[in-house]
Amino acid sequence: MRRWIMHVDMDAFFASVEQFDNPDLMGLPVIVGGQSDRGVVSTCSYEARVYGVHSAMPMMEARRLCPQAVFLPGRMKRYQEVSREIMTIFDSFSPLVEQLSVDEAFLDISGMELLAGSERDIGFKVKRSIKEKTGLTASVGIAPNKFLAKLASDMQKPDGLVVIRAEEAEVMLKPMSVRRIFGIGRSAEKSLLQFGIETIGQIADADLGILRKALGNNAALVKQLAHGLDDRPVVNDYAAKSIGKECTFEQDLHTEDERRHAVLDLCGRVGWRLRRSGVVGYTVTLKVKFASFKIITRSITAEGPVAYDEEIFALAQKLMQSVKWSEGVRLLGVSVAHLEPANAVPVLNFSEDERLGKRNQAVDILKAKFGEDIIKRGF
């Protein structure tokens, strides 16, 4: 039986929900995120992307690039409601659904073509079901593995459907930039360029020894991906789990420094738990309980897996910028969800990841020997 993995990614999810709920926003640049100048963009419509706006961009920069946009604070409960409808649709097409975030998932549809038509037919049916149920569009990628499926879903956005077959994968990958491989960022790209490697095809053809000089321990895995190979399974047992830590304070926190120190400590504790459990995660959630007992949560999904304290804190800081700190804080919590076994992740952040790894490993050794409270990180 041929293996088929589908990756479904909703198009500009938060902004699309806002446009669907308010038709007056259709065709307008819509930017969803923290409204203060220190806030960040959560999602923006494709009309806003024309002006260079993108997710995780500082809101101040987004306002400069597209001052005529409609700026909205976001409605997480509404987005989660729509997300549940979408995930229910996925469950009707496959027993193996790996949810990555509120708007993104892998489905293993191997063998389903015997019941529902070709793999392309199934893709169209999923897209049509989402459109009929929610009024929204999704981009779908279908391929023999996760790497290619995720790559395919991004090739014809928005509202795309791309199927990559095993026999055509390597030829298709050959001219693509190395940045199209999951986990290759600017640092890794720069290292590869020192050896004249710019394309995925050049990675596939490169000597493994050269790749090790540029990419370290990830070289063999990257070379495998460059050939279009990836044997990670779709796993739905980790998707619902999370690892987190929260703290109720004896006295309410009122200053930015107090909150940052508290969140930094929580990120260190969560990172320690992730690494001790041998998992990585994709979605970081910040929980805040104010002095009035009002509770809010904010979440952000990373492009790649996180497990190190610094990575978690960087995302938590972005979430903190989206919170209106109008009163004292009684409780703070940090959690990481959409977990995956660390050894199932093909690529991390290469040289920078190795530096983070060594620092975190040193901290982990101390914590394992003397307990979790033996060391705290500073800014």
Side-chain angles (χ1 to χ4, degrees), residues 354-372:
E354 290 181 11
R355 289 193 291 271
L356 290 179
K358 289 177 181 178
R359 288 203 298 267
N360 282 264
Q361 184 179 34
V363 171
D364 291 348
I365 291 171
L366 290 173
K367 288 185 175 182
K369 188 172 183 179
F370 299 107
E372 190 175 19

Side-chain angles (χ1 to χ4, degrees), residues 29 32 35 66 87 101 115-116 167 204 207 217 244 276 285 291 307 330 333 349 358:
V32 179
Q35 296 301 288
C66 190
M87 297 305 155
S101 65
L115 301 173
E167 57 270 21
D207 179 79
N217 295 332
R276 187 176 57 180
T285 297
R330 178 183 178 85
N349 291 320
K358 289 177 181 178

Side-chain angles (χ1 to χ4, degrees), residues 190-262:
K190 186 177 179 180
S191 296
L192 288 166
L193 285 173
Q194 292 178 349
F195 295 94
I197 298 173
E198 300 180 58
T199 67
I200 293 178
Q202 289 173 316
I203 290 179
D205 295 337
D207 179 79
L208 192 57
I210 295 294
L211 291 179
R212 286 198 183 100
K213 292 178 181 178
L215 306 176
N217 295 332
N218 294 294
L221 288 169
V222 175
K223 190 174 178 69
Q224 187 179 42
L225 291 179
H227 286 285
L229 304 174
D230 176 14
D231 59 2
R232 290 176 298 157
V234 174
V235 288
N236 55 8
D237 55 333
Y238 280 90
K241 296 180 181 179
S242 66
I243 288 178
K245 179 69 177 177
E246 57 185 48
C247 179
T248 300
F249 308 106
E250 292 184 7
Q251 295 183 339
D252 294 345
L253 306 184
H254 292 279
T255 70
E256 181 181 356
D257 277 351
E258 288 176 329
R259 295 190 295 264
R260 290 182 68 219
H261 277 290

Side-chain angles (χ1 to χ4, degrees), residues 243-246 265-276 309 363-377:
I243 288 178
K245 179 69 177 177
E246 57 185 48
D265 180 59
L266 289 169
C267 291
R269 293 174 184 272
V270 172
W272 158 243
R273 285 166 166 75
L274 287 169
R275 297 188 296 276
R276 187 176 57 180
D309 304 356
V363 171
D364 291 348
I365 291 171
L366 290 173
K367 288 185 175 182
K369 188 172 183 179
F370 299 107
E372 190 175 19
D373 294 321
I374 190 62
I375 189 170
K376 293 183 182 291
R377 290 178 179 267

Side-chain angles (χ1 to χ4, degrees), residues 73 87 156 159 162 176 226 230 238 243 255 319 328 331 338 356:
M87 297 305 155
Q156 290 183 7
D159 201 19
V162 175
M176 290 185 177
D230 176 14
Y238 280 90
I243 288 178
T255 70
L319 296 174
L331 174 147
H338 301 126
L356 290 179

Side-chain angles (χ1 to χ4, degrees), residues 293-356:
F293 285 85
K294 174 186 174 183
I295 297 175
I296 65 168
T297 60
R298 298 286 187 270
S299 297
I300 187 171
T301 298
E303 293 184 2
V306 297
Y308 297 139
D309 304 356
E310 296 89 342
E311 297 171 323
I312 302 168
F313 183 58
L315 293 170
Q317 280 188 297
K318 290 183 179 180
L319 296 174
M320 291 175 74
Q321 292 171 358
S322 69
V323 175
K324 185 177 180 181
W325 303 100
S326 56
E327 56 179 305
V329 174
R330 178 183 178 85
L331 174 147
L332 286 169
V334 174
S335 62
V336 177
H338 301 126
L339 307 180
E340 189 173 21
N343 58 11
V345 180
V347 188
L348 297 178
N349 291 320
F350 306 106
S351 58
E352 175 60 21
D353 182 72
E354 290 181 11
R355 289 193 291 271
L356 290 179

